[in-house]
């Protein structure tokens, strides 16, 4: 859709506001709130001047032919914050704009503002991306007040972010999934979330030139103006509509089809770590023994224990890596009580100790459990630690079922809190759990040499890792390190066909259960690596990243980007990314006018091209109707000129 001011001189006819704007002459009322300038309008400042008005968003769109005049609504007569100016669009449609850059009016005279909003056909909310304080006031103070009214009235809302983000330390992050923020700029994600809360259409305009204002903002505004005119035409009496049966009407443009969703499996991190505790004894390097009988109680993995509990790090590593006392009480220093939960065996740590069948030879740490309650419930405690050390309710239920004594359960729960570094009296609230939440417990092990037992060599880069975590999180890694392959006995494992950054992102997912590639190409590279190692959930997360990156690109960037969406389609099909393949076909169809002019469009197969043609937007039928409508309209204008 072409903006009114796009390219040529604005074709606008100024007129004074009509007293009865709901009369026979078609008219559209637009109410604009907020300021697109950094700093906005403060208390005591001039609300709206002619120079400031001409530099505004709506004034730039309507052009210099717009006429400034007094408000005709009784509520606005006492509100100098609203400046009214009018113009004509589509030949004979009057546009009346009421612009108020100051949000303080909603606090001082809410009743009058509400009357003005009730008369609005379209609401435009503006803010500057470089004025984060004003944005936060709108989001936290004024948006909750407007939200129920907008939902009740059904008024279309356009949320416009004006300006370019500034970052002294370098270029700003463009990742649509990234939650990074800056001290003075409003991130894209926060503006998008506010538009969702208000049910608004979200636009970002780097500047107020004729390209961004006329083509992009103007296209969206014209769409809502056309819909508003159609809605008002339906409300007119049948007699009035009968007089305009033969009037030319533009063809109806249907909305593009919705893009298919990308489904991602639920996280299996806790289940994977539980499997490691139950069946990963082959890679265990910590043995627990009863303090009274010396009986073996179970096995665990030092890397997991040290990642979750600072006391296990102190117990197994000591003040220095190679200086470990023979016996240390973990909780005596903290609690000051007589109880001693754990201590090292008198022999300390034994290297290359022969183990039972199914264990690899290597360093073994032996720990003595001296507390009788912990000795009885060691398995439940280890299960709680391995699953992320945050399911306190489940731990308490398991202890109550085993001990059958509420006092003993309370004592053991307090000792477990001390064991994992939780303060006394810390409440199990969601905010308190956020510090130790599932996958984040292993974040300290990622790319860390602490208890590392395998090193990946990728393009000359050295990437330390832990077999226990890799085996639990990846079936291919489990087969590679558990079978009769060379990797099972080798400490250094070379990786070919993958870049170091890509493989590091792959390892990051295994340790943290999250992935945030820096670009579309990086996301596709991680997707290929995930398909190579058969990690389906990571593959689907990368599909979501690719879709989010492409969907966040404006049309101008899609048309000029060096990324070939057709080749992404080919790679998605080659690497069994079925959801991404189907999504890209719909994405190409929804942006048919952009991709059909690119040379690589011919690389589509015949079947794919047929599907794109079937789903294309706008459709061939609409374009044909639009061409006929424009021809008839030109003929009608020529005939009117001849008569005049």
């Amino acid at each position: 859709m072409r903006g009114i001011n796009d390219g040529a001189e604005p074709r606008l006819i100024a007129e004074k506001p009509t007293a009865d704007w709901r009369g026979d002459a078609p008219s559209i009322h637009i109410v604009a709130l907020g300021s697109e300038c950094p700093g906005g309008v403060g208390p005591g400042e001039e609300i709206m001047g002619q120079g400031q008005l001409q530099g505004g968003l709506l004034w730039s769109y309507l052009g210099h032919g717009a006429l400034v005049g007094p408000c005709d609504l009784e509520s606005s007569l006492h509100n100098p914050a609203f400046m009214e100016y009018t113009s004509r669009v589509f030949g004979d449609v009057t546009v009346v704009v009421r612009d108020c850059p100051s949000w303080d009016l909603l606090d001082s005279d809410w009743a009058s503002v509400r009357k003005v909003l009730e008369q609005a056909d379209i609401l435009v909310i503006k803010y500057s991306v470089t004025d984060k304080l004003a944005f936060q006031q709108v989001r936290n103070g004024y948006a909750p007040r407007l939200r129920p009214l907008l939902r009740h009235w059904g008024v279309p809302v356009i949320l416009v972010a004006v300006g370019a983000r500034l970052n002294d330390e370098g270029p700003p992050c463009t990742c649509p999934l990234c939650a990074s923020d800056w001290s003075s700029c409003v991130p894209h994600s926060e503006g998008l979330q506010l538009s969702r809360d208000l049910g608004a259409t979200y636009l970002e305009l780097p500047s107020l030139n004729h390209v961004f204002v006329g083509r992009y903002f103007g296209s969206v505004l014209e769409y809502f103006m056309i819909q508003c005119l159609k809605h008002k035409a339906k409300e007119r009496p049948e007699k009035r509509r009968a007089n305009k049966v033969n009037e030319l009407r533009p063809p109806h443009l249907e909305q593009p089809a919705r893009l298919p969703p990308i489904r991602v499996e639920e996280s299996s991190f806790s289940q994977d770590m539980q499997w490691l505790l139950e069946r990963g004894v082959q890679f265990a390097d910590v043995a627990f023994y009863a303090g009274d009988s010396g009986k073996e109680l179970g096995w665990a993995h030092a890397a997991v224990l040290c990642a979750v509990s600072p006391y296990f790090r102190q117990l197994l590593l000591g003040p220095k890596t190679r200086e470990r006392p023979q016996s240390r009480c973990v909780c005596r220093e903290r609690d000051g009580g007589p109880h001693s939960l754990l201590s090292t065996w008198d022999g300390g740590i034994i290297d290359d100790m022969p183990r039972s069948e199914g264990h690899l030879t290597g360093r073994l740490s032996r720990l003595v459990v001296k507390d009788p309650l912990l000795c009885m419930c060691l398995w439940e405690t280890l299960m709680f630690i391995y699953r992320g050390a945050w399911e306190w309710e489940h731990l308490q239920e398991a202890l109550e079922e085993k001990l059958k004594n509420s006092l003993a359960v309370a004592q053991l729960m307090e000792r477990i809190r001390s064991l994992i570094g939780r303060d006394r009296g810390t409440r199990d609230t969601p905010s308190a759990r956020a510090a130790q939440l599932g996958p984040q417990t292993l974040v300290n092990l990622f790319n860390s040499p602490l208890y590392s037992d395998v090193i990946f060599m990728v393009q000359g880069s050295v990437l330390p890792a832990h077999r226990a975590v890799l085996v639990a999180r990846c079936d291919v890694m489990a087969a590679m390190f558990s079978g009769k392959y060379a990797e099972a006995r080798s400490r250094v494992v070379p990786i070919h066909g993958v870049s170091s950054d890509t493989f590091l992102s792959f390892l990051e997912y295994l340790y943290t259960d999250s992935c945030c590639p820096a670009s579309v190409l990086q996301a596709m590279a991680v997707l290929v690596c995930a398909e190579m190692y058969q990690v389906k959930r990571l593959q689907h997360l990368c599909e979501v990243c690719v879709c989010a990156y492409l969907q966040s690109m404006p049309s101008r960037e899609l048309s000029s980007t060096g990324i070939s969406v057709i080749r992404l389609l080919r790679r998605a099909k080659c690497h069994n990314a079925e959801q991404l393949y189907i999504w890209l076909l719909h994405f190409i169809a929804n942006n048919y006018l952009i991709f059909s002019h690119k040379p690589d469009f011919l690389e589509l197969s015949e079947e794919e091209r047929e599907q794109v043609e079937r789903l294309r937007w706008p459709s061939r039928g609409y374009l044909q109707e639009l061409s006929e409508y424009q021809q008839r309209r030109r003929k009608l204008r020529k005939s009117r000129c001849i008569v005049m």
Side-chain angles (χ1 to χ4, degrees):
M1 182 178 295
R2 183 176 176 87
I4 295 179
N5 290 359
D6 190 9
E9 188 71 13
R11 298 187 300 273
L12 301 170
I13 304 174
E15 71 166 16
K16 295 182 180 179
T18 56
D20 186 11
W21 59 274
R22 293 188 181 274
D24 295 335
S27 61
I28 298 175
H29 273 231
I30 301 175
V31 175
L33 297 177
S35 175
E36 58 272 62
C37 302
V41 179
E45 299 179 3
E46 184 181 356
I47 299 300
M48 180 75 76
Q50 184 71 16
Q52 181 184 2
L53 182 63
Q54 293 181 0
L57 173 64
L58 287 166
W59 184 276
S60 300
Y61 168 73
L62 293 175
H64 300 292
L67 178 67
V68 179
C71 297
D72 60 332
L73 287 180
E74 183 179 339
S75 61
S76 297
L77 291 174
H78 308 289
N79 284 327
F82 280 97
M83 175 61 71
E84 178 177 316
Y85 47 98
T86 62
S87 185
R88 284 187 180 272
V89 297
F90 305 136
D92 58 346
V93 178
T94 302
V95 176
V96 181
V97 179
R98 290 181 175 86
D99 202 337
C100 176
S102 175
W103 289 95
D104 296 337
L105 190 63
L106 274 72
D107 295 325
S108 60
D109 198 357
W110 167 245
S112 299
V113 174
R114 177 166 178 168
K115 291 181 181 180
V116 175
L117 292 176
E118 288 177 353
Q119 307 295 332
D121 298 314
I122 300 173
L123 176 62
V124 178
I125 299 178
K126 307 166 292 179
Y127 69 90
S128 172
V129 297
T130 59
D131 192 352
K132 189 171 183 178
L133 179 61
F135 173 82
Q136 291 175 345
Q137 293 176 350
V138 174
R139 180 187 61 187
N140 301 330
Y142 302 115
R145 192 184 304 181
L146 293 174
R147 188 183 304 118
L149 299 179
L150 297 178
R151 291 180 179 176
H152 177 69
W153 294 333
V155 178
V157 183
I158 305 176
L159 181 64
V160 185
V162 181
R165 297 182 179 86
L166 304 177
N167 190 353
D168 295 337
E169 300 178 356
C173 177
T174 57
C175 171
L177 299 182
C178 187
S180 62
D181 196 359
W182 306 279
S183 59
S184 60
C185 297
V186 182
H188 168 85
S189 57
E190 294 187 11
L192 189 61
Q193 183 60 43
L194 177 60
S195 67
R196 292 172 179 169
D197 295 341
L198 295 176
T201 300
Y202 181 64
L203 292 176
E204 284 193 359
L205 305 180
S207 63
L208 296 181
N209 58 32
H210 73 281
V211 176
F212 297 114
V213 175
R215 181 170 298 176
Y216 299 107
F217 172 73
S219 298
V220 176
L221 185 62
E222 286 179 24
Y223 169 78
F224 286 120
M225 287 194 295
I226 292 175
Q227 298 300 319
C228 177
L229 292 174
K230 290 182 178 180
H231 180 71
K232 289 185 176 182
K234 293 180 181 179
E235 296 179 348
R236 294 177 183 176
E238 294 293 335
K239 183 177 180 180
R240 294 182 180 178
R241 278 193 291 177
N243 297 331
K244 298 187 178 182
V245 173
N246 298 326
E247 184 181 358
L248 290 179
R249 294 185 179 181
H252 177 65
L253 178 61
E254 298 289 343
Q255 290 293 319
R258 287 190 175 182
L259 296 172
I262 303 294
R263 304 189 183 278
V264 181
E265 299 86 347
E266 292 290 336
S267 174
S268 62
F269 186 89
S270 298
Q271 292 79 359
D272 293 341
M273 299 308 296
Q274 180 176 340
W275 177 92
L276 177 63
L277 178 63
E278 295 173 347
R279 304 183 184 180
V281 66
Q282 179 181 359
F283 303 94
D285 52 4
V286 177
F288 292 92
Y289 297 89
D292 51 356
S293 63
K295 178 182 177 182
E296 181 181 311
L297 300 177
W299 295 77
H301 306 82
V304 178
L305 298 178
C306 292
V308 176
S309 170
Y311 290 105
F312 275 112
R313 288 198 297 271
Q314 180 186 2
L315 188 65
L316 296 174
L317 300 179
K320 296 183 179 179
T321 305
R322 297 184 179 180
E323 297 179 4
R324 300 181 178 88
Q326 293 185 355
S327 179
R328 285 185 301 275
C329 172
V330 177
C331 299
R332 180 175 298 164
E333 297 178 1
R334 186 175 183 85
D335 296 340
H339 298 289
S340 176
L341 299 183
L342 296 168
S343 65
T344 57
W345 194 278
D346 290 339
I349 294 181
I350 302 178
D351 293 330
D352 298 329
M353 174 183 177
R355 312 191 194 185
S356 58
E357 184 178 359
H359 288 69
L360 295 175
T361 59
R363 185 173 59 179
L364 174 67
S365 301
R366 297 186 296 175
L367 300 180
V368 178
V369 183
K370 295 186 176 182
D371 185 84
L373 293 178
L374 183 61
C375 190
M376 292 178 58
C377 302
L378 179 64
W379 176 258
E380 289 77 10
T381 305
L382 291 177
M383 183 66 68
F384 168 74
I385 293 176
Y386 271 67
R387 290 181 62 88
W390 65 280
E391 299 174 330
W392 292 98
E393 293 84 356
H394 296 166
L395 174 63
Q396 185 171 357
E397 292 175 1
L399 297 181
E400 290 175 349
E401 182 178 355
K402 190 163 189 177
L403 296 178
K404 309 294 184 182
N405 187 327
S406 58
L407 180 60
V409 170
Q411 293 176 353
L412 185 54
M413 288 285 290
E414 186 63 28
R415 294 168 190 174
I416 293 175
R417 286 188 176 91
S418 300
L419 187 68
I420 66 172
R422 291 289 294 273
D423 296 332
R424 287 179 181 270
T426 302
R427 298 181 61 186
D428 297 327
T429 60
S431 59
R433 297 172 188 169
Q436 293 178 332
L437 182 60
Q440 298 304 318
T441 55
L442 299 183
V443 68
N444 294 328
L445 292 181
F446 170 61
N447 201 22
S448 171
L450 176 66
Y451 272 96
S452 171
D453 54 3
V454 62
I455 294 176
F456 292 104
M457 297 295 298
V458 189
Q459 291 183 341
S461 299
V462 178
L463 305 179
H466 308 79
R467 295 176 189 264
V469 179
L470 302 178
V471 167
R473 298 283 289 144
C474 177
D475 293 337
V476 173
M477 293 282 188
M480 183 171 65
F481 291 122
S482 303
K484 297 181 180 180
Y485 300 99
E487 293 83 357
R489 299 295 176 181
S490 176
R491 178 173 175 80
V492 179
V493 178
I495 300 295
H496 305 285
V498 180
S499 67
S500 58
D501 292 338
T502 300
F503 196 76
L504 190 64
S505 298
F506 172 73
L507 291 179
E508 181 182 10
Y509 169 78
L510 297 184
Y511 280 83
T512 65
D513 205 45
S514 62
C515 178
C516 186
S519 64
V520 175
L521 299 181
Q522 179 68 10
M524 286 300 300
V526 178
L527 184 147
V528 173
C529 184
E531 193 262 343
M532 182 188 307
Y533 288 96
Q534 299 181 13
V535 183
K536 281 292 184 183
R537 184 171 184 271
L538 175 58
Q539 188 174 356
H540 295 161
L541 286 176
C542 292
E543 292 177 353
V544 172
C545 288
V546 173
C547 298
Y549 277 119
L550 294 178
Q551 208 165 5
S552 65
M553 289 184 180
S555 299
R556 65 185 183 280
E557 189 174 350
L558 278 177
S559 58
S560 61
T561 183
I563 300 174
S564 174
V565 178
I566 307 298
R567 293 177 184 174
L568 292 180
L569 181 74
R570 299 267 68 81
R571 295 189 68 184
K573 185 176 183 180
C574 178
H575 294 285
N576 302 315
E578 290 295 332
Q579 293 188 99
L580 180 60
Y581 175 77
I582 296 175
W583 189 92
L584 287 175
L585 280 177
H586 284 74
F587 184 73
I588 294 171
N590 283 3
N591 298 273
Y592 184 87
L593 298 180
I594 296 176
F595 294 113
S596 60
H597 294 87
K598 293 195 173 187
D600 54 3
F601 186 78
L602 300 177
E603 298 179 11
L604 291 175
S605 64
E606 184 177 352
E607 181 181 355
E608 292 169 346
R609 200 174 303 176
E610 290 179 358
Q611 186 172 358
V612 170
E613 291 289 344
R614 179 172 55 85
L615 299 172
R616 61 173 288 180
W617 185 89
S619 63
R620 289 184 179 274
Y622 170 80
L623 295 179
Q624 181 65 28
E625 293 178 3
L626 181 62
S627 177
E628 295 175 357
Y629 166 76
Q630 292 174 345
Q631 292 178 4
R632 291 197 301 267
R633 189 171 182 84
R634 283 194 294 267
K635 292 180 181 179
L636 183 60
R637 286 180 178 177
K638 291 181 180 179
S639 62
R640 288 179 178 176
C641 291
I642 293 174
V643 172
M644 292 176 65

